[in-house]
Amino acid sequence: MVVSGGTGRTAAFTDGSADFARLVRLLEPAYAGSERVPEAWAEGRYPAVRLTVVWGLSGVGGWPRTRRAPGGDVAVERQDQLFLAEDGTPWVRSDPAPDEEDDDIRWHRASRAVYDELERAGLLGGQAGAPEGSGGGAGWWWAGAGLGAGVGGTLLVCRAAARRGAGPPRGEPCQELIDL
């Protein structure tokens, strides 16, 4: 999920889409190193966030590990934020475990060529950093609405699965598939 730093607009991309591939090339989520940044940045006084990307894995969880229906949970894997330094260098601030209360924050420079490619594709938007996407502002609105509908649907399914009597049989004989 991508959140614009300037407007708060959101979009969701899936593995296999061209925009997802561009984000991977720019942010390099598999990169585990860290580079030194100016002291002010290390203290939290860095440039405005151009965009925030929350890397997630959907379809996790379910019986028997949780009391929810299988595939209804989302695991947050990582959070990356994109900044543009005064000299025009794009920087990535990564939190490899955003659900943990720790100070494991990593920084690295991003490719200016890939940054320019994303800007031409409309993923970084105008001056305020608002993503517009190839479908314009309406496309981002629909992506956000789709994400909201998906989350709402997941919550409804989870609520239905949590009702008394829903889920796998409890205390009854289990059936077994035997390969002959």
Side-chain angles (χ1 to χ4, degrees):
M1 182 173 80
V2 180
V3 181
S4 168
T7 64
R9 290 183 177 167
T10 62
F13 300 113
T14 58
D15 188 13
S17 73
D19 292 333
F20 183 89
R22 287 182 182 123
L23 286 170
V24 169
R25 285 187 20 241
L26 177 68
L27 301 174
E28 299 179 74
Y31 182 75
S34 188
E35 298 180 43
R36 291 186 69 87
V37 294
E39 189 64 33
W41 288 22
E43 294 172 0
R45 296 185 316 266
Y46 31 78
V49 177
R50 293 294 309 260
L51 59 88
T52 300
V53 177
V54 178
W55 302 93
L57 181 63
S58 62
V60 298
W63 298 298
R65 293 193 318 239
T66 67
R67 292 183 171 211
R68 297 180 180 207
D73 295 338
V74 175
V76 176
E77 296 285 316
R78 173 187 189 93
Q79 176 182 305
D80 290 332
Q81 292 181 304
L82 180 67
F83 299 89
L84 194 60
E86 288 182 24
D87 66 357
T89 304
W91 281 83
V92 178
R93 177 184 183 268
S94 297
D95 185 350
D99 55 342
E100 297 289 327
E101 286 291 326
D102 61 13
D103 59 352
D104 186 11
I105 301 297
R106 303 171 189 186
W107 291 88
H108 70 273
R109 289 177 182 90
S111 164
R112 182 61 200 214
V114 177
Y115 177 88
D116 291 341
E117 180 183 331
L118 264 77
E119 196 153 48
R120 282 190 304 274
L123 288 175
L124 302 178
Q127 297 283 9
E132 295 296 341
S134 57
W140 284 88
W141 186 91
W142 283 109
L147 179 65
V151 169
T154 300
L155 292 174
L156 289 173
V157 168
C158 289
R159 179 175 282 177
R163 288 192 321 247
R164 184 172 176 80
R170 308 223 193 283
E172 298 177 17
C174 294
Q175 296 185 10
E176 180 178 352
L177 178 63
I178 300 173
D179 186 16
L180 298 177

